[in-house]
Amino acid sequence: NAGVMQNPRHLVRRRGQEARLRCSPMKGHSHVYWYRQLPEEGLKFMVYLQKENIIDESGMPKERFSAEFPKEGPSILRIQQVVRGDSAAYFCASSPTSENYGYTFGSGTRLTVV
Amino acid sequence: AQSVTQLDSHVSVSEGTPVLLRCNYSSSYSPSLFWYVQHPNKGLQLLLKYTSAATLVKGINGFEAEFKKSETSFHLTKPSAHMSDAAEYFCVVSAPGESGGSNYKLTFGKGTLLTVNP
């Protein structure tokens, strides 16, 4: 049973470009969570999605960031018009229910904006 | 609201000596508490979790943590450090999020970097 798969592992974008980060949850998991890790900080919650629904996006920046989890396919975190401050590691986790018994995280996508 | 304070940003031990990584938390609710480990350029691995059962929790790789409500602490320990334990460790608390009910939203500490000297 494969774990949470994130790709790409590393992503380099120029300022103003779009970044798309993908997260495939574990088999049977329909709840996905995105977290961002800025340099020398702990992870910060961004958004919680179920299939075709955004449950809680209280941690998402108001502009340029969006997330989706379609009926088919991976969850996507999209960052439009990236800026240097978006450089960070982005992690996703998945679970079979919303109850937290210890989430499984993916290996992350490290975004570098140049 | 909840918060986590990891009291040491960096801990250095010698191989074979005990490890103590300190964590204090604050939560308006009965918390669930976790320790995660992150090896360089790798993902996060769950070491152990406390979810209101036994206060002494045993995890993987010989780590354990004790939940002390009176001290609002959840310190991570290991009797004997191994070189492979060198990594960053995060103490995490969870509590109900914006939609209420379940405790899905994690609040991370800033991390403690553990180095193990030969």
Side-chain angles (χ1 to χ4, degrees), chain A residues 2 4 8 14 26 36 39 42 45 47 52-53 56-57 60 65 70 81 84-85 102-103 105 109 112:
Chain A
V4 178
R14 296 187 184 279
M26 289 182 69
R36 177 166 64 173
F45 171 80
V47 61
E52 300 183 279
N53 284 304
D56 181 352
E57 56 182 349
M60 291 276 273
F65 284 72
Q81 300 175 337
R84 289 260 174 87
Y103 296 134
F105 281 86
T109 294
T112 302

Side-chain angles (χ1 to χ4, degrees), chain B residues 51-71:
Chain B
T51 54
S52 75
T55 57
L56 182 62
V57 181
K58 293 188 185 298
I60 61 172
N61 301 335
F63 284 94
E64 61 181 39
E66 187 172 6
F67 173 70
K68 292 187 176 180
K69 186 175 181 179
S70 60
E71 299 177 9

Side-chain angles (χ1 to χ4, degrees), chain B residues 1 27 32 37 40 44 57 64 70 74 80-81 88-90 101 109 111 114:
Chain B
S27 177
S32 295
V37 60
L44 291 154
V57 181
E64 61 181 39
S70 60
F74 190 57
S80 176
E88 186 144 30
Y89 292 79
F90 292 97
L114 175 66

Side-chain angles (χ1 to χ4, degrees), chain A:
Chain A
N1 187 12
V4 178
M5 304 300 292
Q6 289 189 249
N7 65 81
R9 292 291 302 274
H10 300 275
L11 181 61
V12 179
R13 285 287 176 266
R14 296 187 184 279
R15 282 177 291 172
Q17 291 185 319
E18 179 179 283
R20 284 193 181 202
L21 289 62
R22 296 175 190 77
C23 171
S24 296
M26 289 182 69
K27 187 176 181 180
H29 288 192
S30 58
H31 300 249
V32 166
Y33 316 84
W34 284 92
Y35 284 77
R36 177 166 64 173
Q37 183 179 29
L38 293 168
E40 306 201 359
E41 290 191 19
L43 279 71
K44 298 253 192 287
F45 171 80
M46 297 182 77
V47 61
Y48 162 31
L49 308 109
Q50 292 181 29
K51 287 279 188 181
E52 300 183 279
N53 284 304
I54 297 174
I55 307 302
D56 181 352
E57 56 182 349
S58 57
M60 291 276 273
K62 298 299 181 197
E63 298 178 346
R64 303 187 295 107
F65 284 72
S66 62
E68 63 177 9
F69 189 15
K71 187 176 180 180
E72 302 290 338
S75 175
I76 305 288
L77 179 67
R78 183 182 291 108
I79 311 172
Q80 296 178 301
Q81 300 175 337
V82 295
V83 300
R84 289 260 174 87
D86 298 332
S87 295
Y90 293 82
F91 290 93
C92 81
S94 72
S95 64
T97 71
S98 61
E99 280 302 315
N100 182 5
Y101 298 113
Y103 296 134
T104 300
F105 281 86
S107 295
T109 294
R110 281 155 182 83
L111 172 66
T112 302
V113 179
V114 297

Side-chain angles (χ1 to χ4, degrees), chain B residues 15-104:
Chain B
E15 191 174 20
T17 65
V19 176
L20 169 64
L21 304 183
R22 298 182 293 165
C23 172
N24 287 99
Y25 70 91
S26 170
S27 177
S28 304
Y29 306 90
S30 296
S32 295
L33 293 157
F34 310 83
W35 277 97
Y36 280 86
V37 60
Q38 184 179 28
H39 288 92
N41 296 316
K42 296 287 179 64
L44 291 154
Q45 182 181 20
L46 179 65
L47 274 180
L48 50 79
K49 59 190 176 189
Y50 165 77
T51 54
S52 75
T55 57
L56 182 62
V57 181
K58 293 188 185 298
I60 61 172
N61 301 335
F63 284 94
E64 61 181 39
E66 187 172 6
F67 173 70
K68 292 187 176 180
K69 186 175 181 179
S70 60
E71 299 177 9
T72 61
S73 70
F74 190 57
H75 301 335
L76 181 70
T77 60
K78 183 173 180 177
S80 176
H82 191 272
M83 296 295 289
S84 61
D85 294 328
E88 186 144 30
Y89 292 79
F90 292 97
C91 182
V92 180
V93 64
S94 74
E98 295 295 322
S99 68
S102 61
N103 58 344
Y104 60 82

